[in-house]
Amino acid sequence: SDPETERITVIMASGHYIYSSARVKGFRIGASVYLLKPVDRDELLARIETQLRFRDLEDQHLLEEKLALIDQVVTTLHHEIINPLSGILGYSEILNEADAPQESRP
């Protein structure tokens, strides 16, 4: 499947290939919807609306996956930055205490 065309909805309509095996073949070669002629206007509109809802749900799911990945990256980066900084701060406090005059030590 071509990434540039895989999200295109294909609606097939036929008055000749009305048997189940023909419809199954249509789905296998990429049809999202298979309608029998004569095509009922209301059914066609309902099928289009359904396909658009599916696409919206897919887009929402992809966005949620991307946001979850971004959250994971930010959490990992935060951890990777904070741990070394904690060590640096701890050692700098030890060095400051070692350099402090005797009378200011507790």
Side-chain angles (χ1 to χ4, degrees):
S1 115
D2 185 349
E4 291 188 25
T5 60
E6 70 184 357
R7 296 195 67 210
I8 295 174
T9 298
V10 176
I11 298 176
M12 294 183 79
S14 176
H16 296 286
Y17 302 104
I18 61 173
Y19 300 104
S20 176
S21 60
R23 291 193 307 268
V24 168
K25 182 178 179 182
F27 288 122
R28 286 191 176 139
I29 63 172
S32 304
V33 176
Y34 195 102
L35 300 173
L36 299 178
K37 290 183 180 179
V39 175
D40 179 73
R41 179 183 179 277
D42 291 335
E43 181 181 4
L44 176 61
L45 291 175
R47 298 288 186 141
I48 291 170
E49 289 170 358
T50 300
Q51 291 302 309
L52 291 174
R53 279 196 306 273
F54 284 153
R55 180 166 300 160
D56 288 345
L57 288 171
E58 183 180 38
D59 289 345
Q60 181 180 352
H61 178 71
L62 290 173
L63 178 62
E64 289 171 359
E65 282 183 341
K66 287 178 184 179
L67 291 174
L69 182 60
I70 289 170
D71 183 56
Q72 184 179 6
V73 168
V74 168
T75 300
T76 301
L77 286 175
H78 177 264
H79 176 76
E80 294 297 323
I81 291 170
I82 292 299
N83 278 350
L85 287 179
S86 295
I88 291 169
L89 288 173
Y91 283 117
S92 67
E93 288 177 13
I94 292 170
L95 291 173
N96 280 338
E97 288 175 8
D99 288 343
Q102 288 291 332
E103 60 271 359
S104 66
R105 290 186 188 173

